[in-house]
C-alpha cells in the first residue's frame, strides 16, 4: 500500500479520574480537540486510574489528557502513569494534565512524566499547538 | 514483513494488549505494511463468533453491547468490541462516545474495546473494521461485537462482517419501521425492540412482525418454512422473562435448519437494566446454530473471502494504474490534453492499460 494512503489522525483520551465531578473543562477540551481534527475518546466521570489505563492502552491513544479539579492529582496521576508503564504504553503516549493544579505541584507532576500542565484560562490554541508539536513519533 | 511487525504479531498472539491495540491502529491508519500484518494473522482467525449491532442513533446499542459483554463474561467467554462511528467524517475530528457506556466492564482486561471513526474514508471503514475483527479473532476473543449506527450502505457493509446481525428498533418509531425497509431490514437476523420499558413497544413488535411476514411472503429473502414459524412464535413471547422460549427456538432452528430459512426473531430488551439480555443471547446462539447446521456460515465465509480477494486486487490494480497514469504525465496533464482537443478519455484509457494488457497476454503460463 502506498504511503499517501495512510490515514493518520491524532487520537486523544480525555479522562476524569476519581471522585471529581467537575466536567466542564473536560467537555470544553474534548470539543476543542475534535474541532482541531483529533479523534477524542472521553472517559466519562468517576473513573478509577485502572480504567483510564485500560482505555488508553486499548484505544492506543497518542495523547492522554487527565482533567483534575479535586486536588487529588498527587495520588491519582502516579497511578495512571504506573499503569501505562505496566502495559508498555508510557514511552510513546503524551501525558497532559489540566484543571486546578497548584503551581508548587506542577514540577513534581512533570518529574513523574507529565509533559505539561494546563490550568484555568489556558488558551485553547496553545493547548492544541502543544499537542501537535509534542505528539510522539510512532 | 519488517522485524517490528513480526514482533508485533508474536506479541499479539502471545496475548499482549498493547500489541493488539497497535495492530488495530496500523490497520486503521493503513500504515505501510498493514496488509502483511493482516496476512500474518490470517491463519489464526476463524474461531470467534462475530455479532453486528446496528440501529438508529441513540437506540441503545452501546448500552446493550455493555450488557451483552457482561453476560458473556459471566459465562466465562472473552469479548472484543469494535464501535464504529462513521458520523463525522468531514473535519476529521470526532468524539467517539460509545466507550463511555461500557460501565459494567471497565477494568476487565478480558474485554477489549476499541472505538473507530470513518476518517473521511467511507469506503475504507468497512474493510478496516473487518481487518480489526481479524486482529481480535487472532488474539483469541470468543465473541466479537461490532457496533455501528445504522444509516446507509456504509454501515450495512460494516455489519456484514458479522455472522449474526441485530438491528435495534426503539419503540414507537412507527415511521422508522417503514424506513427500515430500505436496506437495514434485509440484513437483520434479529430485531431488538430495545427500550421496551417505554410506551409503544408492543406496537413496534407488531409492526416488525408484519414487516418480516411481508418480507417472507414476497420472497425477498427468507422463506416461510421450517424455523420461520417458530421464530415468530418466539417473537410473541419475547417480552416475557421466560428464557425457555429462546432455547425452544434454537432447537427448532437446529432441527429444521438444513431445509428452511431463518426468519428474523424479535426480542424485547431493556438495555439499561438487562431485561431480555439472556433471551437475546440465546437467540444469537440459535441463529448461530442455524447458520452452522444449514451450511450458511460456511457459505457466508466463502462469499466474504471472495469479496476480500477481489477488493485487494482492485486496490492493487488501481495502485498500478495510478503509477501508469503518472508515467503518462499525471492526470492533470492528461485532462489538459483532452481539453485542448488533442486526445480523449477513451484514447487515454487505452494508452494507459495497453502496456499492462500486453504484459498479461505474454504470460500464458500457470501462475502457480
Ligand atoms: C463550576 C464549579 C463547580 C460546579 C461544577 C459543574 C460541573 N459539572 O463541572 C459545581 C457547583 C458542581 C462544583 C462543585 C464542587 N466544587 Co467546584 N468549582 C467550580 C469552579 C467555579 C469553576 C470550574 C469550571 O467549570 N471552570 C470552567 C472550565 C472550562 O475550566 P477548567 O475546568 O479549569 O478547565 C480549563 C483548564 O483547567 C484546562 N483543562 C481542564 N481539564 C483539562 C484537561 C486537559 C487534557 C487539558 C489539556 C486541559 C484541561 O482547560 C480548560 C479550559 O481552559 C471552580 C473554581 C475555578 N475557578 O476553577 C470550582 C472548584 C474547582 N470547585 C471546588 C470545590 C471545592 C468544589 C466542591 C467540593 C464544593 C463543595 N464543597 O461542595 C464541589 C465538588 C463537586 C464534585 N463532585 O467534584 C474547588 C476545588 C479546590 C481544590 N482543587 O482544591 C474550586 C477550585 C473552587 C475553589 N477555589 O475552592 N464546582
Ligand atoms: N429507557 C431506556 N433507556 C435506554 C435503554 N437503553 C439505552 N437507553 C438510554 O438511551 C440513551 C442512548 O444509549 P446508547 O447506548 O448510548 O445508544 P446508542 O445507540 O449506542 O447511541 P449512539 O452510539 O450515539 O448511536 C442512553 O441515555 C441510555 O441510557 C432502555 O432499554 N430503556
Ligand atoms: Mg453507541
Amino acid at each position: 500500500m502506498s504511503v499517501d494512503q495512510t490515514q493518520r489522525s491524532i487520537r486523544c483520551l480525555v479522562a476524569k479520574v476519581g471522585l471529581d465531578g467537575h466536567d466542564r473543562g473536560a467537555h470544553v477540551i474534548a470539543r476543542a480537540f475534535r474541532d482541531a481534527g483529533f479523534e477524542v475518546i472521553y472517559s466519562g466521570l468517576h473513573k478509577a486510574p485502572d480504567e483510564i489505563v485500560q482505555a488508553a492502552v486499548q484505544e492506543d491513544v497518542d495523547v492522554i489528557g487527565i482533567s483534575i479539579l479535586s486536588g487529588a492529582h498527587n495520588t491519582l496521576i502516579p497511578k495512571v502513569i504506573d499503569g501505562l508503564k505496566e502495559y508498555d504504553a508510557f514511552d510513546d503516549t503524551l501525558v497532559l494534565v489540566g484543571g486546578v493544579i497548584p503551581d508548587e505541584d506542577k514540577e513534581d507532576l512533570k518529574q513523574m512524566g507529565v509533559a505539561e500542565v494546563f490550568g484555568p484560562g489556558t488558551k485553547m490554541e496553545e493547548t492544541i499547538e502543544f499537542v501537535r508539536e509534542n505528539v510522539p513519533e510512532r | 514483513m519488517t522485524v517490528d511487525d513480526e514482533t508485533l504479531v508474536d506479541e499479539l498472539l502471545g496475548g499482549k494488549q498493547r500489541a493488539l491495540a497497535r495492530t488495530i491502529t496500523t490497520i486503521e491508519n493503513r500504515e505501510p505494511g498493514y496488509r502483511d500484518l493482516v496476512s500474518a494473522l490470517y491463519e489464526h482467525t476463524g474461531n470467534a463468533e462475530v455479532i453486528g449491532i446496528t440501529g438508529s442513533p441513540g437506540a441503545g446499542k452501546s448500552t446493550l453491547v455493555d450488557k451483552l459483554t457482561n453476560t458473556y463474561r459471566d459465562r466465562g467467554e472473552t469479548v472484543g468490541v469494535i464501535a464504529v462511528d462513521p458520523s463525522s467524517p468531514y473535519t476529521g475530528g470526532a468524539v467517539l462516545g460509545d466507550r463511555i457506556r461500557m460501565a459494567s466492564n471497565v477494568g476487565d482486561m478480558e474485554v477489549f474495546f476499541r472505538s473507530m471513526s470513518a476518517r473521511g474514508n467511507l469506503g475504507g471503514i468497512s474493510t478496516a473494521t473487518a481487518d480489526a475483527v481479524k486482529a481480535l479473532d487472532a488474539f483469541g476473543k470468543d465473541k466479537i461485537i461490532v457496533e455501528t449506527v445504522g444509516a446507509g450502505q456504509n454501515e450495512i457493509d460494516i455489519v456484514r462482517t458479522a455472522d449474526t446481525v441485530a438491528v435495534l428498533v426503539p419503540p414507537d418509531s412507527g415511521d422508522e419501521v417503514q424506513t427500515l425497509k430500505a436496506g437495514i431490514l434485509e440484513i437483520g437476523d434479529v430485531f431488538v425492540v430495545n427500550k421496551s420499558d417505554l410506551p409503544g413497544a408492543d406496537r413496534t413488535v407488531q409492526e416488525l412482525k408484519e414487516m418480516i411476514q411481508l418480507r417472507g411472503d414476497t420472497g425477498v429473502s427468507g422463506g416461510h418454512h421450517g424455523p420461520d414459524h417458530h421464530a415468530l412464535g418466539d417473537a410473541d413471547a419475547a417480552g416475557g422473562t421466560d428464557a425457555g422460549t429462546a432455547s425452544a427456538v434454537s432447537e427448532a432452528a437446529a432441527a429444521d435448519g438444513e431445509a428452511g430459512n431463518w426468519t428474523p426473531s424479535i426480542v424485547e430488551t431493556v438495555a439499561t437494566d438487562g431485561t431480555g439480555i439472556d433471551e437475546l443471547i440465546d437467540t444469537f446462539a440459535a441463529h448461530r446454530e442455524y447458520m452452522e447446521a444449514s451450511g450458511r456460515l460456511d457459505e457466508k465465509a466463502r462469499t466474504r473471502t471472495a469479496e476480500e480477494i477481489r477488493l485487494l486486487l482492485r486496490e492493487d490494480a488501481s495502485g498500478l494504474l495510478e503509477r501508469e497514469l503518472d508515467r503518462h504525465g499525471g492526470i492533470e496533464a492528461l485532462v489538459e490534453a483532452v481539453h485542448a482537443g488533442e486526445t480523449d478519455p477513451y484514447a487515454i484509457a487505452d494508452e494507459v492499460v495497453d502496456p499492462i494488457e500486453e504484459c498479461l497476454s505474454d504470460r500464458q503460463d500457470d501462475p502457480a
Side-chain angles (χ1 to χ4, degrees):
Chain A
M1 178 67 35
S2 61
V3 184
D4 51 25
Q5 266 177 293
T6 297
Q7 297 167 16
R8 210 167 164 350
S9 176
I10 297 178
R11 281 169 75 88
C12 311
L13 174 69
V14 173
K16 290 290 312 179
V17 238
L19 300 173
D20 182 8
H22 298 89
D23 61 358
R24 283 190 202 163
H27 282 134
V28 169
I29 289 291
R31 241 171 289 135
F33 281 0
R34 179 199 63 193
D35 294 344
F38 305 168
E39 276 174 20
V40 185
I41 294 121
Y42 175 51
S43 71
L45 280 171
H46 308 311
K47 299 300 176 208
D50 283 356
E51 299 169 14
I52 299 303
V53 170
Q54 181 184 23
V57 171
Q58 295 187 345
E59 300 288 356
D60 197 17
V61 291
D62 305 281
V63 183
I64 162 166
I66 309 164
S67 173
I68 303 197
L69 287 81
S70 65
H73 45 272
N74 287 333
T75 52
L76 294 174
I77 303 288
K79 287 184 183 162
V80 173
I81 286 177
D82 288 348
L84 290 176
K85 285 180 179 159
E86 188 189 328
Y87 286 98
D88 204 10
F90 176 71
D91 287 339
D92 56 5
T93 308
L94 185 70
V95 182
L96 307 179
V97 172
V100 178
I101 311 287
D103 283 341
E104 62 265 31
D105 291 346
K106 285 184 184 165
E107 213 35 59
D108 290 349
L109 290 179
K110 286 185 181 169
Q111 285 293 317
M112 269 171 224
V114 172
E116 194 50 86
V117 179
F118 299 92
T122 316
K123 278 220 183 76
M124 217 50 74
E125 302 83 63
E126 223 172 275
T127 312
I128 287 161
E129 200 49 44
F130 186 88
V131 171
R132 286 223 171 92
E133 270 165 22
N134 294 281
V135 67
E137 273 297 326
R138 285 181 169 177
Chain B
M1 200 162 44
T2 65
V3 180
D4 281 357
D5 285 351
E6 265 166 41
T7 314
L8 199 57
V9 170
D10 287 345
E11 286 178 347
L12 184 152
L13 295 173
K16 187 173 169 185
Q17 295 266 336
R18 183 79 175 151
L20 172 58
R22 188 53 53 87
T23 299
I24 296 178
T25 304
T26 309
I27 287 168
E28 211 185 2
N29 292 347
R30 300 182 153 234
E31 277 163 36
Y34 95 93
R35 278 169 58 164
D36 294 338
L37 262 182
V38 182
S39 172
L41 294 174
Y42 212 96
E43 63 174 304
H44 304 279
T45 63
N47 303 312
E49 284 184 42
V50 187
I51 295 162
I53 309 264
T54 188
S56 49
K61 299 178 291 296
S62 301
T63 314
L64 191 74
V65 169
D66 179 47
K67 291 301 194 304
L68 286 170
T69 302
N70 203 31
T71 308
Y72 281 131
R73 291 293 299 128
D74 285 348
R75 297 180 182 195
E77 296 183 280
T78 58
V79 182
V81 181
I82 297 175
V84 187
D85 183 349
S87 59
S88 53
Y90 299 112
T91 58
V95 176
L96 306 173
D98 296 312
R99 187 176 192 107
I100 209 171
R101 304 270 180 226
M102 291 299 287
S104 325
N105 300 287
V106 283
D108 177 0
M109 285 306 255
E110 294 298 318
V111 176
F112 191 100
F113 187 103
R114 182 62 176 248
S115 317
M116 280 169 72
S117 85
R119 303 225 175 134
N121 183 348
L122 288 174
I125 185 67
S126 51
T127 320
T129 308
D131 288 340
V133 165
K134 287 194 198 87
L136 287 167
D137 190 348
F139 190 76
K141 293 300 179 196
D142 300 316
K143 297 284 191 283
I144 299 170
I145 308 179
V146 177
E147 172 194 338
T148 189
V149 80
Q153 185 57 43
N154 195 38
E155 290 79 356
I156 293 173
D157 287 345
I158 292 171
V159 288
R160 277 230 178 94
T161 52
D163 307 318
T164 299
V165 174
V167 177
L168 264 66
V169 188
D172 222 11
S173 44
D175 292 344
E176 227 170 290
V177 172
Q178 293 301 316
T179 55
L180 274 180
K181 266 194 258 179
I184 294 282
L185 187 70
E186 279 77 9
I187 58 164
D189 301 309
V190 181
F191 288 90
V192 183
V193 179
N194 186 44
K195 306 198 184 185
S196 63
D197 53 322
L198 301 180
D202 293 349
R203 221 186 73 203
T204 303
V205 169
Q206 194 51 43
E207 282 172 352
L208 279 171
K209 260 193 237 174
E210 284 162 15
M211 192 134 307
I212 288 165
Q213 201 111 50
L214 207 65
R215 160 176 150 176
D217 290 346
T218 52
V220 170
S221 156
H224 40 272
H225 307 294
D228 302 11
H229 176 73
H230 300 282
L232 276 175
D234 171 48
D236 286 323
T241 45
D242 179 12
T245 331
S247 54
V249 187
S250 91
E251 278 159 33
D256 299 355
E258 300 258 341
N261 286 305
W262 174 266
T263 293
S265 315
I266 303 171
V267 180
E268 288 181 65
T269 59
V270 182
T272 34
D273 68 7
T275 305
I277 299 298
D278 284 331
E279 284 144 75
L280 185 55
I281 283 185
D282 290 346
T283 309
F284 287 160
H287 181 254
R288 176 87 187 178
E289 270 174 59
Y290 157 76
M291 291 289 283
E292 276 172 7
S294 64
R296 289 282 157 82
L297 194 66
D298 203 45
E299 207 179 288
K300 211 172 173 177
R302 280 163 197 277
T303 310
R304 226 181 269 146
T305 307
E307 280 173 12
E308 203 175 355
I309 294 171
R310 289 221 160 84
L311 190 83
L312 290 171
L313 286 176
R314 265 203 301 277
E315 273 183 16
D316 289 347
S318 78
L320 287 177
L321 287 174
E322 283 300 324
R323 260 189 277 157
E324 270 304 294
L325 264 182
D326 287 345
R327 237 171 44 82
H328 283 78
I331 189 80
E332 275 169 31
L334 293 170
V335 167
E336 215 42 63
V338 171
H339 281 256
E342 292 160 14
T343 179
D344 65 90
Y346 297 87
I348 291 174
D350 280 346
E351 258 170 60
V352 173
V353 174
D354 271 352
I356 300 176
E357 227 161 36
E358 237 163 72
C359 285
L360 291 181
S361 56
D362 285 351
R363 305 203 46 172
Q364 302 294 349
D365 53 324
D366 275 340

